[in-house]
Amino acid sequence: NAGVTQTPKFRILKIGQSMTLQCTQDMNHNYMYWYRQDPGMGLKLIYYSVGAGITDKGEVPNGYNVSRSTTEDFPLRLELAAPSQTSVYFCASSATAQANEKLFFGSGTQLSVL
Amino acid sequence: GDSVTQMEGPVTLSEEAFLTINCTYTATGYPSLFWYVQYPGEGLQLLLKATKADDKGSNKGFEATYRKETTSFHLEKGSVQVSDSAVYFCALRSGYNKLIFGAGTRLAVHP
């Protein structure tokens, strides 16, 4: 019952460093998403993917890149970390694109950029 | 654009108290509405949902009714337990790339 797995759980970066947040799901879902949650705010969509090889921008994509080479994996890349990217990051997946379909979430990555 | 507004927390209650967490939304069309819950150290998980007007979603003693006339989806529970302590998120979804969340409401239940 792994579901959606994110690594790492916590990370501290220095300004200008780069890193990749890993996300993998074992439910064979086509749809995958990256969200960020800033303190006191709702989750905002960074990028999403509708299947292997297909990605698109969400609401707040600047400073991030994604790839989707397999159905299972959807890594999020930060190339030049900035303090504004300090946030909690959630990966999610869903089986369909229907509006009433629920999302399955990972447990999150807490990232601090100092 | 679409948006979700939910009451600010934290909400602090004694065990067995009645819970209401208010949620209102703005959307074009007829979105599906959700409550997600995040327990400490875990990811968000679906608590309940409603897909059309007057639908009532329910799970684990929690209920919420899709009120189109007041654009609301308030979460209620008659008797909360310490184990209900968590952050609750109201959300709407009108497309696969359009899941809009509220800011979350932290609930703390004391024995």
Side-chain angles (χ1 to χ4, degrees):
Chain A
N1 289 348
V4 179
T5 303
Q6 289 182 238
T7 57
K9 291 191 180 299
F10 303 95
R11 184 72 185 269
I12 298 174
L13 287 181
K14 294 182 179 178
I15 295 172
Q17 286 185 320
S18 62
M19 77 164 294
T20 299
L21 281 66
Q22 302 291 345
C23 175
T24 187
Q25 52 92 8
D26 62 359
M27 297 171 284
N28 202 35
H29 286 171
N30 282 326
Y31 299 87
M32 296 188 74
Y33 315 83
W34 274 106
Y35 288 90
R36 60 176 285 173
Q37 182 188 20
D38 299 327
M41 307 287 287
L43 282 70
K44 294 188 183 299
L45 183 64
I46 305 171
Y47 270 95
Y48 65 97
S49 170
V50 302
I54 307 171
T55 63
D56 206 348
K57 296 177 181 179
E59 189 180 0
V60 289
N62 291 343
Y64 306 95
N65 281 300
V66 293
S67 59
R68 184 95 183 270
S69 57
T70 66
T71 298
E72 294 78 20
D73 300 309
F74 190 42
L76 178 72
R77 178 91 178 152
L78 283 70
E79 291 293 350
L80 290 170
S84 61
Q85 294 177 304
T86 294
S87 190
V88 180
Y89 292 83
F90 291 101
C91 180
S93 71
S94 66
T96 76
Q98 294 182 18
N100 62 358
E101 184 73 36
K102 75 176 185 180
L103 268 62
F104 293 81
F105 284 83
S107 58
T109 296
Q110 188 168 324
L111 175 66
S112 296
V113 182
L114 305 175
Chain B
D2 296 358
S3 66
V4 174
T5 303
Q6 59 181 107
M7 64 188 290
E8 291 188 18
V11 174
T12 304
L13 295 173
S14 298
E15 206 164 26
E16 299 184 1
F18 185 86
L19 168 71
T20 299
I21 300 178
N22 290 337
C23 172
T24 58
Y25 68 91
T26 302
T28 54
Y30 303 97
S32 294
L33 301 176
F34 304 83
W35 277 101
Y36 282 83
V37 58
Q38 184 182 23
Y39 298 105
E42 301 182 11
L44 282 74
Q45 56 187 275
L46 180 67
L47 179 60
L48 54 83
K49 70 177 181 181
T51 59
K52 61 183 186 298
D54 299 325
D55 265 2
K56 177 184 284 188
S58 62
N59 186 26
K60 300 181 180 180
F62 291 90
E63 293 182 340
T65 301
Y66 191 141
R67 301 283 188 203
K68 181 169 173 289
E69 64 275 13
T70 55
T71 62
S72 64
F73 193 54
H74 304 322
L75 182 68
E76 297 182 335
K77 186 174 186 183
S79 176
V80 293
Q81 305 299 312
V82 172
S83 57
D84 293 326
S85 298
V87 181
Y88 292 82
F89 293 89
C90 186
L92 68 81
R93 189 177 189 196
S94 56
Y96 62 86
N97 63 341
K98 203 172 182 181
L99 179 60
I100 310 295
F101 285 88
T105 302
R106 183 174 299 278
L107 170 65
V109 181
H110 298 290

